[in-house]
Amino acid sequence: MTVTPLQLAKVAATAADGKKAGDIVLLDLSQVSDICDYFLICTAQNKPQMDAILDGIEEKVKVNCGESPLSMEGRGGSDWVLLDYGSVVVHVFKPEARDFYRLESLWGEAPRVDLGLAAPKDEAAPEE
């Protein structure tokens, strides 16, 4: 089964959303970096939720895309866990770490991809 990096990223985003990950952002790095094509960034409020998000992403990507992460960094108590799928890198942060590292600002020139995920009603729409 062959899937594009964008398809894999969207499957991962949908899985994260299904586990109630917050502030899910997909950055298209394909024109601005040689690291990978996409960064998927999301927030977990606590360790149990982080574990659920990571497990959900791994499971859905395996089932729907036939892919497993090439590597995983930070699992086991970290405030930032990274799943590396080669062309797609998933970052799951606790809120303080996400505020500290500010990947969206660091890669500010990378366009955001609309994931079509419904934002919670009490959350304001992100500024463009």
Side-chain angles (χ1 to χ4, degrees), residues 4 9 60-61 65 75 84 101 107 116 122 126:
T4 67
K60 292 285 188 200
V61 170
C65 304
R75 192 143 191 191
D84 183 354
Y101 290 105
W107 294 97
D122 60 344

Short mmCIF file of all heavy atoms in Angstrom, two decimals, residues 4 9 60-61 65 75 84 101 107 116 122 126:
data_model
loop_
_atom_site.label_atom_id
_atom_site.label_comp_id
_atom_site.label_asym_id
_atom_site.label_seq_id
_atom_site.Cartn_x
_atom_site.Cartn_y
_atom_site.Cartn_z
N THR A 4 0.77 8.81 0.32
CA THR A 4 1.61 10.01 0.25
C THR A 4 1.89 10.50 1.67
O THR A 4 1.16 10.17 2.61
CB THR A 4 0.90 11.13 -0.54
OG1 THR A 4 -0.25 11.57 0.22
CG2 THR A 4 0.48 10.67 -1.94
N ALA A 9 0.04 12.04 7.14
CA ALA A 9 -0.10 13.12 8.12
C ALA A 9 -1.57 13.32 8.51
O ALA A 9 -1.88 13.55 9.69
CB ALA A 9 0.48 14.41 7.57
N LYS A 60 -3.53 3.79 14.10
CA LYS A 60 -4.26 4.22 12.89
C LYS A 60 -3.34 4.29 11.68
O LYS A 60 -3.73 3.92 10.58
CB LYS A 60 -4.93 5.58 13.11
CG LYS A 60 -6.05 5.57 14.10
CD LYS A 60 -7.29 4.94 13.53
CE LYS A 60 -8.44 5.13 14.49
NZ LYS A 60 -9.53 4.19 14.24
N VAL A 61 -2.12 4.79 11.88
CA VAL A 61 -1.18 4.88 10.75
C VAL A 61 -0.79 3.48 10.29
O VAL A 61 -0.71 3.22 9.09
CB VAL A 61 0.05 5.74 11.12
CG1 VAL A 61 1.13 5.63 10.06
CG2 VAL A 61 -0.36 7.20 11.31
N CYS A 65 -2.20 3.02 6.75
CA CYS A 65 -1.10 3.38 5.85
C CYS A 65 -0.05 2.28 5.74
O CYS A 65 0.84 2.37 4.89
CB CYS A 65 -0.43 4.67 6.31
SG CYS A 65 -1.56 6.07 6.47
N ARG A 75 9.48 9.22 24.78
CA ARG A 75 8.41 8.53 25.50
C ARG A 75 8.92 8.05 26.85
O ARG A 75 10.06 7.66 26.99
CB ARG A 75 7.89 7.35 24.69
CG ARG A 75 6.59 6.80 25.26
CD ARG A 75 5.68 6.35 24.20
NE ARG A 75 4.36 6.08 24.75
CZ ARG A 75 3.41 5.48 24.09
NH1 ARG A 75 3.62 5.09 22.85
NH2 ARG A 75 2.26 5.27 24.63
N ASP A 84 8.79 9.63 14.38
CA ASP A 84 9.41 9.92 13.09
C ASP A 84 8.98 8.88 12.07
O ASP A 84 9.35 7.71 12.16
CB ASP A 84 10.93 9.93 13.24
CG ASP A 84 11.65 10.30 11.97
OD1 ASP A 84 11.01 10.46 10.91
OD2 ASP A 84 12.89 10.42 12.02
N TYR A 101 9.03 25.63 23.19
CA TYR A 101 9.73 25.34 21.94
C TYR A 101 9.14 26.06 20.72
O TYR A 101 9.85 26.30 19.75
CB TYR A 101 9.80 23.83 21.69
CG TYR A 101 10.72 23.15 22.66
CD1 TYR A 101 10.22 22.40 23.72
CD2 TYR A 101 12.10 23.28 22.54
CE1 TYR A 101 11.07 21.78 24.62
CE2 TYR A 101 12.96 22.67 23.44
CZ TYR A 101 12.44 21.92 24.47
OH TYR A 101 13.29 21.31 25.36
N TRP A 107 9.20 27.49 12.53
CA TRP A 107 8.93 27.14 11.14
C TRP A 107 7.81 28.02 10.59
O TRP A 107 6.97 27.56 9.82
CB TRP A 107 8.57 25.65 11.03
CG TRP A 107 9.71 24.78 11.40
CD1 TRP A 107 9.95 24.19 12.60
CD2 TRP A 107 10.80 24.41 10.56
NE1 TRP A 107 11.12 23.48 12.56
CE2 TRP A 107 11.67 23.59 11.31
CE3 TRP A 107 11.13 24.70 9.23
CZ2 TRP A 107 12.84 23.05 10.79
CZ3 TRP A 107 12.30 24.15 8.72
CH2 TRP A 107 13.13 23.35 9.50
N GLY A 116 -9.33 20.25 8.31
CA GLY A 116 -10.77 20.07 8.33
C GLY A 116 -11.29 19.49 9.63
O GLY A 116 -12.38 18.93 9.66
N ASP A 122 -15.74 26.34 22.29
CA ASP A 122 -15.25 27.37 23.20
C ASP A 122 -13.86 27.89 22.80
O ASP A 122 -13.31 28.73 23.48
CB ASP A 122 -15.23 26.86 24.64
CG ASP A 122 -14.32 25.65 24.81
OD1 ASP A 122 -13.96 25.03 23.82
OD2 ASP A 122 -14.00 25.35 25.97
N PRO A 126 -8.15 30.00 14.86
CA PRO A 126 -6.76 30.48 14.80
C PRO A 126 -6.62 31.65 13.83
O PRO A 126 -7.32 31.73 12.84
CB PRO A 126 -5.98 29.27 14.31
CG PRO A 126 -6.98 28.35 13.69
CD PRO A 126 -8.30 28.67 14.32
#
